Amino acid sequence: MNRQEYRNRGRQWRGWIVAAAVASLALTGAAGAAADGSSAARTFLEGVAAYGEGDYGAAVAAFETIAASGIRNPRLYYNLGNAHLKNGDLGPAILWYERALKLAPDDPDLNFNHAYALSLATDERETPPASIYRILFFWRHLASPGATAVVALVFNGLFWLVMTVRFFRRKKALKGIARPLLAIALIFTATAIYNYYEAASAREGIVLPETAPVRSGLSEDATQLFVLHAGAKVVIEGEKEGFFRIYFSDGKIGWVTRSHIGRI
Amino acid sequence: MIHSAGKIIVAALAVMAGAAWLLSASAFAASVQASVDRNAAALGESIQLQVSATGVQQGDVDVAPIRDFKVISRGESRSLHVVNGRQTQEITFNYTLIPVKAGNLRIPPLEVRTPEGTYSTLKIDVVVSEKQQGESDEQDIFVLAEVSNDAPYEGEQLVYTFHFYRSFRISDARLQKPAFSGFTAEQIGKEQSDITVIKGRRFHRNTLSFILIPLSTGLKTIEPAVLEYDVIQRDHRGGSSPFDFDSLFGGPFFNTGRVETRTLQTRPIDVAVRPLPDYHGPHPFSGLVGKMDIRAALEKHALKAGESATLTIVVEGSGNIPDAEAPVVDLPDGFKVYEDAPREDIALDGNGYSGKKTFRMALVPLEPGDYRLAPARLTYFDTASETYETRETAPFSLTVLKREAEEEMRVVPAPVAGNGPAKQKVAFTGRDILPIKDDLSALENQRPLPLPAFLGLLGVPAILFVLAGGIFLFTRKSDDPADIMARRARISLKSAGAAGIEDDAFLSCLYRALVSAILSRAGVQGESLTWTEAEAILGPADVPVEVRQAASALLERIESARFGGKPLDARERNRLLSETRDVVRRIS
């Protein structure tokens, strides 16, 4: 066996060892994930059963346990909105519907129930001032952030594929395709980045209790300026000493106890 | 002896510490007390009441038992006291009390509810004298309230007017209007402000009016309106006059005075609301009270059956005109009526509501004929004459013609049973939400792609493109003939040096390497050269003479060997290979 053959044998063994390690790690992770998944599934089915039996409090507890474990799913959030609404908790119901809408803005069931919940809210929702971002990215409400990111990646990949073919094959016919692909990729990339910005800023919230006094300062003794009711949507402008500074509509600004507002 | 004295001292200190602790504990137990700033006042003056709760975190005072005073809450304040290293919190509830009558009045014991329990204050007696602050000519500031009619009929509107007169500067006046119990009340316009002169004195006057409509009969009392204001008490050093409210230097920036809060209140006003007289007229009473009229107009007086004519009825006047309802119009059989929403054109001014309410209805006769429509009537209570009045419009005549035959033929028949149901809008008949989603896809974690990963994936195709292009450009074979021939020379030399190569092949490789190197220098492609051609190429190419000569000689030797057929020994092969390598290198 010469030196070259030894080297080849060594490479083969090294490959097997790495493959075995990866497989064992994958199996260990899969087992853990399966155990977690089984527990979540059981809790979920318990929540569904409780909802069916009219025990909405138990359904809320089950679904919130799953959500607290880190699962982020519009269907789960939708169920939480339903359970809260049936349980008489209008504020949390609208909060979970709003969270679900962030992930699946085009779900018809979700939109129907969300509209129903909003019809029960006391405070009239005033149209927020049209921001330049909202005008520029008007189409972003038509697709979920995940779908937008995927479309951006696909069109970006297609554009560079066409560019590569053009570079190596000198196909002039592809010139007409490259520009539209680039335009679409840029639009969806900008939209996706704005979605990331919005998710990171997380500035909106929902009033959770039946009534939430909005005060002029950071204490319960501060003058009550106005009162918001469950389900009212506010913009959170800041946070200080256990209070949120909120903006409801033109001229209606003040401080609300932090626990009275749920961030969307 | 000394030892026992020490024990006594230690025991005494312990007893004292214990006593001090007990005292401090009792001192910091929760307690409440009520106090007023004075026990004697005149009608129209206010009294400040403070209820203090010590040693509690929060509390609530029940002031409902106070009957002899109008109570205005002034909020609460908190303070922290530190005594002997212990902190005690005190909450003080502040109220302004305004006597509602003269005499020996009482503030009864007030309950203070705290998490620690319910405590009670002691009663406080206050003597209130008859002297009333009000319309005295001597007053620099006073308030007045009046109604336009203190004996209105039920449903008759009256105007409540509040006046605030002042001859000097005040700041931050706050009005607590009466509750107007037993009336519907609406403010008339905005607050009016002017300057008036009363018995030679110049006053600033603010006026606020409300339109009131009694809801029931009987004696109603409009509670006093309370006005609070802050007045700047000036230092006597300035010697300022009460009439200098326009003075530029009278403002707080140039005044060293202090601000004091005072209250004024109007007298309560009794209003005796009279019931309307019994009505026995032939036409129904509309419920309107005031001065009313009615008029009507019919859009056209001749039309075909099935067409519509608009009847417009206008009820106008002053009084409770907003309550006017569409007058009843008696129509013959065979008419269909479609009513529009009424249109209001009603104003509210110092005399109350006045304007008109317009009712429009489309009349559709179904059968031809000559019709006479009864007049529209309105019965209301006239407050001026104190009688029921009936107004009516003129009667209308209407000629309805038969629909022409051809027009009837053009009429599209309504769908009949068997040809499908009539179309109608689908409306909700119940309200509920849609059910939950019970499939396990709700457990799929839809975590968004992290931004760095998204940006990374976005950049991957571009990076791959740049890498591929770079590699391509780096490894691309040159099209230059000089490069091609130089490469061929290197390859041929490499082939010539391979082990086990035959003599013919060896010599061919050497020949091709040498020729390629020479042609590379000329920048042309080719396969063969004679030694004279080689000289001709290398001459103008600035190749040193010895190299040219060596190349020519070597080329000649290789050709001789190739075509001579004499086998080469190893030594000769190595020498030829070595020399060729050397020449090729020097030519290149």
Side-chain angles (χ1 to χ4, degrees):
Chain A
M1 189 179 292
N2 60 24
R3 202 171 160 185
Q4 186 64 33
E5 286 172 332
Y6 266 115
R7 206 175 288 163
N8 290 340
R9 282 274 175 89
R11 281 179 187 159
Q12 283 177 359
W13 275 110
R14 215 181 306 156
W16 280 111
I17 290 167
V18 170
V22 169
S24 63
L25 280 173
L27 285 171
T28 309
D36 291 347
S38 168
S39 170
R42 192 167 53 249
T43 308
F44 178 78
L45 293 176
E46 286 171 0
V48 170
Y51 187 94
E53 292 164 4
D55 188 356
Y56 302 117
V60 165
F63 294 144
E64 283 196 338
T65 302
I66 300 168
S69 71
I71 288 180
R72 195 168 179 272
N73 187 299
R75 290 166 168 262
L76 177 65
Y77 292 178
Y78 166 88
N79 288 355
L80 266 166
N82 274 17
H84 273 297
L85 194 60
K86 288 286 189 183
N87 201 37
D89 307 324
L90 180 62
I94 292 179
L95 173 66
W96 283 107
Y97 284 144
E98 292 278 356
R99 285 174 176 170
L101 280 170
K102 292 278 182 192
L103 302 176
D106 51 352
D107 186 316
D109 290 19
L110 174 59
N111 280 294
F112 183 90
N113 288 6
H114 179 242
Y116 176 86
L118 287 183
S119 73
L120 302 178
T122 304
D123 297 326
E124 186 180 356
R125 278 201 178 188
E126 298 185 24
T127 309
S131 68
I132 186 70
Y133 298 109
R134 199 173 178 83
I135 295 167
L136 286 175
F137 301 121
F138 66 91
W139 61 87
R140 57 182 287 271
H141 300 283
L142 304 177
S144 69
T148 304
V150 168
V151 171
L153 290 174
V154 167
F155 275 91
N156 178 64
L158 287 174
F159 167 72
W160 286 108
L161 184 64
V162 168
M163 291 300 290
T164 306
V165 172
R166 277 190 64 198
F167 181 81
F168 287 104
R169 296 290 179 190
R170 309 285 178 195
K171 297 276 187 186
K172 288 188 177 177
L174 294 174
K175 191 176 179 182
I177 301 173
R179 285 180 181 171
L181 284 176
L182 177 62
I184 296 171
L186 285 176
I187 288 170
F188 277 89
T189 301
T191 308
I193 289 175
Y194 178 71
N195 286 338
Y196 279 108
Y197 160 75
E198 190 184 60
S201 56
R203 292 174 59 232
E204 290 181 321
I206 298 292
V207 172
L208 298 177
E210 284 297 314
T211 57
V214 183
R215 301 185 182 280
S216 61
L218 298 168
S219 80
E220 297 296 339
D221 301 330
T223 304
Q224 177 179 298
L225 299 176
F226 55 95
V227 176
L228 291 176
H229 298 85
K233 192 174 186 178
V234 299
V235 176
I236 300 171
E237 294 187 329
E239 182 180 358
K240 202 173 180 185
E241 298 174 15
F243 282 78
F244 279 138
R245 178 185 157 86
I246 61 102
Y247 168 93
F248 177 63
S249 63
D250 191 24
K252 295 195 178 67
I253 301 170
W255 294 90
V256 184
T257 304
R258 195 177 185 285
S259 61
H260 288 176
I261 302 292
R263 280 183 188 268
I264 295 174
Chain B
M1 185 69 180
I2 293 173
H3 186 67
S4 61
K7 278 187 176 178
I8 292 168
I9 291 169
V10 169
L13 285 173
V15 169
M16 287 169 65
W21 183 83
L22 285 172
L23 282 171
S24 63
S26 63
F28 291 111
S31 64
V32 298
Q33 66 174 17
S35 62
V36 292
D37 62 338
R38 51 182 169 162
N39 291 91
L43 274 176
E45 293 179 348
S46 62
I47 296 169
Q48 303 304 317
L49 168 67
Q50 285 193 332
V51 180
S52 301
T54 308
V56 299
Q57 298 294 321
Q58 54 186 350
D60 187 22
V61 182
D62 182 9
V63 294
I66 302 178
R67 305 284 185 192
D68 295 339
F69 300 86
K70 183 179 178 71
V71 182
I72 301 168
S73 175
R74 291 269 165 253
E76 61 185 64
S77 60
R78 292 168 185 268
S79 57
L80 199 62
H81 305 287
V82 179
V83 179
N84 296 332
R86 291 193 58 178
Q87 293 184 348
T88 306
Q89 187 163 1
E90 182 180 73
I91 309 174
T92 303
F93 302 90
N94 301 299
Y95 301 94
T96 296
L97 305 184
I98 298 168
V100 296
K101 60 184 179 183
N104 294 323
L105 308 186
R106 172 167 291 181
I107 302 171
L110 303 175
E111 284 192 349
V112 182
R113 287 184 285 273
T114 72
E116 290 80 10
T118 301
Y119 304 90
S120 184
T121 65
L122 299 176
K123 66 178 173 62
I124 301 174
D125 292 324
V126 178
V127 178
V128 178
S129 63
E130 284 286 354
K131 180 192 171 189
Q132 183 165 354
Q133 189 173 13
E135 308 89 320
S136 169
D137 293 342
E138 307 301 323
Q139 294 284 339
D140 293 327
I141 182 167
F142 57 95
V143 292
L144 279 177
E146 58 188 2
V147 291
S148 59
N149 183 359
D150 59 1
Y153 281 102
E154 179 185 4
E156 182 181 358
Q157 57 188 7
L158 62 151
V159 178
Y160 173 93
T161 307
F162 171 83
H163 297 291
F164 170 37
Y165 295 86
R166 67 191 192 282
S167 63
F168 59 90
R169 178 189 298 275
I170 64 163
S171 63
D172 197 17
R174 303 168 295 278
L175 172 66
Q176 287 198 351
K177 63 180 184 182
F180 298 122
S181 303
F183 298 88
T184 61
E186 186 172 350
Q187 184 172 327
I188 302 173
K190 294 181 179 176
E191 176 187 330
Q192 303 292 319
S193 178
D194 61 355
I195 293 176
T196 185
V197 175
I198 301 175
K199 295 187 177 178
R201 293 189 66 186
R202 189 177 181 212
F203 286 88
H204 275 264
R205 178 173 63 181
N206 294 77
T207 304
L208 197 58
S209 299
F210 297 85
I211 186 77
L212 307 181
I213 298 178
L215 295 173
S216 59
T217 59
L219 183 64
K220 313 283 181 191
T221 300
I222 300 175
E223 297 173 348
V226 178
L227 185 113
E228 299 172 71
Y229 64 98
D230 297 333
V231 63
I232 301 167
Q233 291 293 95
R234 301 171 189 218
D235 289 344
H236 295 295
R237 288 173 304 184
S240 57
S241 160
F243 298 99
D244 66 345
F245 50 85
D246 287 331
S247 169
L248 176 63
F249 301 102
F253 289 105
F254 302 96
N255 198 318
T256 57
R258 58 188 171 81
V259 175
E260 185 178 302
T261 300
R262 295 181 180 174
T263 59
L264 295 171
Q265 65 174 341
T266 63
R267 287 176 171 168
I269 299 176
D270 290 335
V271 177
V273 181
R274 293 180 286 171
L276 294 175
D278 290 340
Y279 175 66
H280 304 288
H283 309 295
F285 173 48
S286 65
L288 298 181
V289 178
K291 185 75 176 173
M292 304 290 168
D293 200 359
I294 186 171
R295 55 191 166 87
L298 189 61
E299 180 191 21
K300 48 192 172 187
H301 294 272
L303 71 168
K304 294 173 185 171
E307 292 181 345
S308 71
T310 302
L311 174 63
T312 304
I313 302 175
V314 179
V315 176
E316 57 188 342
S318 60
N320 56 348
I321 183 84
D323 297 335
E325 294 185 353
V328 177
V329 180
D330 292 328
L331 293 172
D333 291 340
F335 272 75
K336 282 189 175 178
V337 181
Y338 302 95
E339 293 184 357
D340 281 356
R343 197 180 69 197
E344 291 186 357
D345 186 12
I346 300 169
L348 179 61
D349 56 23
N351 296 319
Y353 290 109
S354 63
K356 62 183 179 183
K357 202 164 179 179
T358 304
F359 304 90
R360 289 164 59 88
M361 55 195 80
L363 308 182
V364 182
L366 303 177
E367 299 296 334
D370 290 325
Y371 296 95
R372 187 169 177 82
L373 307 184
R377 296 186 179 88
L378 175 74
T379 301
Y380 70 99
F381 184 76
D382 191 326
T383 51
S385 63
E386 299 187 347
T387 57
Y388 287 96
E389 301 281 347
T390 298
R391 298 278 184 271
E392 64 179 35
T393 63
F396 301 104
S397 59
L398 189 63
T399 302
V400 181
L401 306 174
K402 188 179 178 184
R403 194 181 306 187
E404 293 177 11
E406 58 269 27
E407 287 184 349
E408 287 179 355
M409 290 179 67
R410 270 192 243 130
V411 174
V412 178
V416 294
N419 288 350
K423 299 290 183 287
Q424 63 178 11
K425 261 190 175 180
V426 177
F428 284 106
T429 56
R431 296 199 73 204
D432 200 355
I433 55 173
L434 297 174
I436 59 171
K437 299 176 190 292
D438 56 2
D439 56 305
L440 291 176
S441 64
L443 298 177
E444 292 169 5
N445 203 345
Q446 297 185 5
R447 289 206 165 279
L449 192 64
L451 181 59
F454 173 72
L455 295 176
L457 289 173
L458 209 59
V460 163
I463 293 168
L464 289 176
F465 174 78
V466 171
L467 282 177
I471 291 169
F472 173 76
L473 291 175
F474 185 74
T475 58
R476 187 175 59 176
K477 292 179 180 175
S478 173
D479 296 335
D480 188 354
D483 292 338
I484 293 171
M485 296 313 290
R487 194 160 56 243
R488 185 188 289 178
R490 285 195 300 273
I491 293 169
S492 298
L493 274 179
K494 194 174 176 182
S495 301
I501 187 170
E502 295 291 332
D503 284 350
D504 287 345
F506 172 73
L507 290 170
S508 292
C509 287
L510 289 185
Y511 178 79
R512 192 159 60 244
L514 193 55
V515 167
S516 296
I518 293 168
L519 289 174
S520 166
R521 193 62 191 247
V524 295
Q525 286 182 268
E527 294 294 332
S528 62
L529 280 177
T530 63
W531 61 273
T532 51
E533 289 172 335
E535 280 255 1
I537 289 171
L538 295 176
D542 296 335
V543 176
V545 175
E546 66 272 17
V547 178
R548 294 202 313 254
Q549 290 173 347
S552 301
L554 185 59
L555 191 62
E556 189 179 4
R557 280 173 56 198
I558 292 170
E559 282 188 323
S560 299
R562 280 180 71 193
F563 301 113
K566 184 182 175 182
L568 297 172
D569 59 12
R571 194 174 162 194
E572 182 63 17
R573 284 171 67 124
N574 288 338
R575 193 168 63 242
L576 276 174
L577 181 60
S578 171
E579 287 179 12
T580 306
R581 281 176 175 160
D582 181 57
V583 169
V584 166
R585 180 178 59 78
R586 293 171 73 182
I587 290 173
S588 303

